[in-house]
Amino acid sequence: MEMNSNNTAARNQRRKNTGIEETLTLRDILDTFLDNWIWFVISIIISLALARLYLATKSNVYQRQAVMLVKDDSGTNGGRRSNISTDALMQLNGVLAGASVKNEVYILHSFQLAQEVAKNLQLDVMYSIRSGLRNVSLYDNRPFTVNFITEFTVPASFKFTVDSKNGGTISEVKYGIPMAESDYSAKVEWGNTVKTPFGDFIASPNEERLEDFVGLTVSVQRISLEDAAIILFNKVTSSEIDKESTLVRITCTDTNIQRADDILNGLLDAYKRSIIEDKNQIAKSTSEFIEDRIGLIHSELSEVEGKMAEFKQSSGLVDIKASSEAFIAQSNTARQRTIQAETQYSMIEYLVDYLTQNVTAGNLIPTMGGISDTGIASQIASYNQLMLQRNRLAENTSENSPTIVDYDKNLEQMRVAILASLKGYSASLKLQVEKAKKEEAGLMGSLQAVPQKEKKVIDIARQQTIKETLYTYLLNKREETALQLAITEANIRVVEHPFGSRSPIAPRTKVIAFIALIIGIIVPFLFFQIRKLFDSTVHGRKDIEKFTTIPILGEVPHSRSDLHDSQIVVEEQKDEILSEAFRLIRFNMQFLNKDARVIMLTSTMPGEGKTFISGNIAATLGLTGKKVVLMDADIRKRTRSRLSAIETNQGLTSYLSGNNDDILSLIVPKSKKCNLDILPAGVVAPNPTELLMSKRLEQCIEELKKYYDYVIIDNVPAQMVADAGIVNRVADLTIYVLRETKVDRRYLPELERLHQENKFTHLCIVINDSRGKRKGYGYGYGYGYGYGYGYGYGYGSEEKKKSFWSKLFHRRKHKKHKR
């Protein structure tokens, strides 16, 4: 029951261990860097070199900007407007007609302006020269200018070699869609027309720069004006500086500072011209309308005057009698009063209707001239002033803010008061109209006595007066329009002309170098992590403790020393680090099973260093003064015996087969210093399994225990043949040798199962060829040995020499043993 309980607890502990997820710790990252530092250095150097090569191919990009202020024609900030207001309703309501600053921002960044600037600056022809790995754009410092005199048909490019001050040669011509090479070439003289398949042009020298380019080749490329405008469009951005002002920032990025400045200046000039053209277009249209109306009114006025002359001549009416004049004057006065009263009444009624229907907050009350009641006029002026303040505040806050709500309440109260005043004033005006009409009706009744001819004269005279007044008005407007056409000033002001740092904004050398440094670190790190992810072999104590509950007896560090499997390092003191590791294993054996005298060593597969470790454990025990015999139980291949150069055919198989009953006669002395003897395997037996299963094995062990304190059994790998499991019945302690990077981690659960089922007596593990670094024990792992099997079923005695590069990759290649 106690054994079952222990097994259950062990299984639960194993499940708990195997359920632990492996996480990447800071120490793991640091170890990755330290173990592979040379690869990180190489990767960083390559990354920085590639970054430097990338920077060498990129041209410097500069940023320039300009700032302008958008104004209205009255001098205040606003959008573009015309001096001539054609929107009577907006004037009546006191609202300025114009676009917002956002419209101007869009116009500044419009394709139309970009195309105009590209045409003015001849950006459809580009010049560059090769400098190192990059193409340097030539603009203000180009040695010549190519002026195409034919319309664009296809894109083209060619090389222009400046031969002398008299001209040059064009070659490497490409043109068409897509670009195709041509064998066309020609000599070019400055100022002469050059006929080419892609268009005729004239090359003009730049005398100031020409001499510096003699013998050099300049690349010339012609593109369509639309493509040049697209390139310019992508270089320029425009935006409002803030929401509270009408300042607009225009930014241009280019590889040439002067070209960027010229683009900004060109945009500002083109924008100014567009504003002036808009204003002149409106003024021109207004002027044409006025001229047409003046001609029409002049014709109508002449017709009325003709009618008057004709009527007077036909009727013989030359003068009006004095009595008639006075009477008519009274009639006219009454008529004027009626008209004035009706006009004021209509205006007041309009305002009453307007206030009744337009109850929405934010609307102004039209200011109507001619209201004789100064109190009402004052109320309306105060209301409009308060409404403007409210609307300005509403632009920067929500409609539900307390301030806006208070304004709305005050405005509502004022609107009610104004409406009441208007209604009262309207009632009084209505009485005045009725009174004036009655008075006029009385006078008109008296006019019945006036001859009909006189009434006709008055009617014609009234039409004449109206036409004359309208004619005079149109003449005045024609003068105003003429003045507008003479104005050439735009409603903008350049606050900041193109400016900016002469340090490039791209490529960002420090940022690219930093990114290259990070890539140089990440790439090898990812490589080693991915390689580790796909590596399923055992790596040290951590993997074993994760998947098993088998106690770990110790770790034998890796060494670069040229050691053999049969070499006893603890005797020769050849490697103090290895000697200390075997002393630690001997010390831990006392805790695991202090009464153990028969110790068997096995492994999973050949090449894990079982023979080397068994010999040195035996020697380590012998150095304490104990007598130790090392038994070669590999009666199939005689590994220990062959490596120890034992020539005799007598050994374990002789005793197990019954050919020799004197076990001591089969012992071969190995080392007196270490009190170590060897029991060789003997001849290769045809039936090794039957020999090991016989009772003679127990008798052999008992005989050896009479003369020796420890019997160390060097056995075969447990997963290759069944011999290890058969021999284990006589062992007091089983040491399972696991070599790092040799055994697949997926085998560890199977080894745990063998441990839980007690297939091996007091099973413990020794980790061989450990590459971890210990701290706190006075030594560090970093040196070791190589060994292995090279015969039988694929395991033997060859260890290949590591190359420098394989060491960097931590490949487990071994040197050849000198046996």
Side-chain angles (χ1 to χ4, degrees), residues 172-310:
E172 299 183 27
V173 175
K174 297 180 182 179
Y175 65 93
I177 302 175
M179 299 279 280
E181 294 185 4
S182 172
D183 56 358
Y184 177 84
S185 63
K187 288 285 186 179
V188 178
E189 294 183 0
W190 306 126
N192 292 341
T193 301
V194 181
K195 296 184 178 297
T196 69
F198 50 84
D200 301 343
F201 67 85
I202 297 175
S204 304
N206 181 1
E207 300 295 343
E208 296 179 357
R209 302 290 300 172
L210 184 61
E211 186 175 353
D212 298 335
F213 285 85
V214 173
L216 300 180
T217 300
V218 177
S219 297
V220 181
Q221 183 179 6
R222 186 192 190 191
I223 59 177
S224 67
L225 191 60
E226 290 76 11
D227 291 340
I230 291 173
I231 295 174
L232 188 151
F233 182 85
N234 293 328
K235 291 180 179 180
V236 177
T237 59
S238 58
S239 61
E240 299 176 74
I241 291 183
D242 56 58
K243 302 297 182 182
E244 301 298 328
S245 68
T246 57
L247 292 172
V248 178
R249 178 190 291 113
I250 318 157
T251 304
C252 179
T253 56
D254 202 311
T255 57
N256 187 283
I257 294 178
Q258 185 60 46
R259 182 165 56 196
D261 289 348
D262 289 350
I263 288 173
L264 291 176
N265 287 324
L267 282 173
L268 291 172
D269 292 340
Y271 177 73
K272 289 179 181 178
R273 286 195 299 272
S274 70
I275 295 176
I276 295 172
E277 289 175 0
D278 288 347
K279 290 183 176 182
N280 290 342
Q281 184 176 2
I282 297 173
K284 184 178 180 181
S285 176
T286 304
S287 177
E288 292 176 354
F289 172 78
I290 291 174
E291 290 295 337
D292 292 341
R293 297 303 301 171
I294 286 176
L296 179 61
I297 297 302
H298 182 270
S299 176
E300 292 177 352
L301 181 60
S302 299
E303 183 180 355
V304 170
E305 290 176 346
K307 286 182 180 181
M308 174 65 78
E310 181 181 356

Side-chain angles (χ1 to χ4, degrees), residues 60-76:
N60 292 334
V61 178
Y62 304 90
Q63 185 180 76
R64 310 288 286 178
Q65 61 180 343
V67 180
M68 75 172 191
L69 175 67
V70 181
K71 305 179 296 179
D72 64 15
D73 292 313
S74 62
T76 59

Side-chain angles (χ1 to χ4, degrees), residues 16 35 135 227 299 306 345 349 400 475 488 578 676 710 787:
K16 180 179 179 181
D35 294 342
N135 288 324
D227 291 340
S299 176
Y345 178 77
E349 283 297 304
N400 297 324
L475 289 176
T488 58
L578 288 176
L676 176 61
Y710 292 99
Y787 46 82

Side-chain angles (χ1 to χ4, degrees), residues 478-538:
R478 184 173 64 178
E479 293 300 320
E480 292 180 6
T481 305
L483 290 175
Q484 176 64 27
L485 286 171
I487 296 176
T488 58
E489 181 182 358
N491 60 336
I492 66 167
R493 180 168 66 90
V494 178
V495 178
E496 294 284 358
H497 290 278
F499 71 96
S501 173
R502 293 191 172 269
S503 299
I505 62 170
R508 303 175 65 181
T509 304
K510 294 182 179 180
V511 174
I512 293 175
F514 178 74
I515 293 174
L517 176 65
I518 297 300
I519 293 175
I521 296 173
I522 291 178
V523 168
F525 179 78
L526 291 177
F527 170 78
F528 289 118
Q529 290 302 317
I530 293 174
R531 191 183 70 170
K532 182 179 179 182
L533 183 65
F534 285 96
D535 185 4
S536 60
T537 58
V538 174

Side-chain angles (χ1 to χ4, degrees), residues 49 52 88 110 206 266 340 416 521 603 616 676 719 734 759 775:
R52 182 67 184 88
S110 63
N206 181 1
Q340 184 178 3
V416 171
I521 296 173
S603 62
N616 280 278
L676 176 61
Q719 295 301 309
T734 303
K759 296 293 184 180
K775 294 182 180 180

Side-chain angles (χ1 to χ4, degrees), residues 633-637 652-653 656 683-694 697 716 721-723 726-727 793:
D634 187 358
I635 60 178
R636 297 174 184 269
K637 299 300 177 182
L652 179 61
T653 55
L656 295 179
V683 298
V684 177
N687 56 342
T689 303
E690 287 75 8
L691 289 177
L692 294 174
M693 292 179 65
S694 66
L697 179 60
V716 297
V721 290
D723 296 5
I726 296 173
V727 176
Y793 0 83

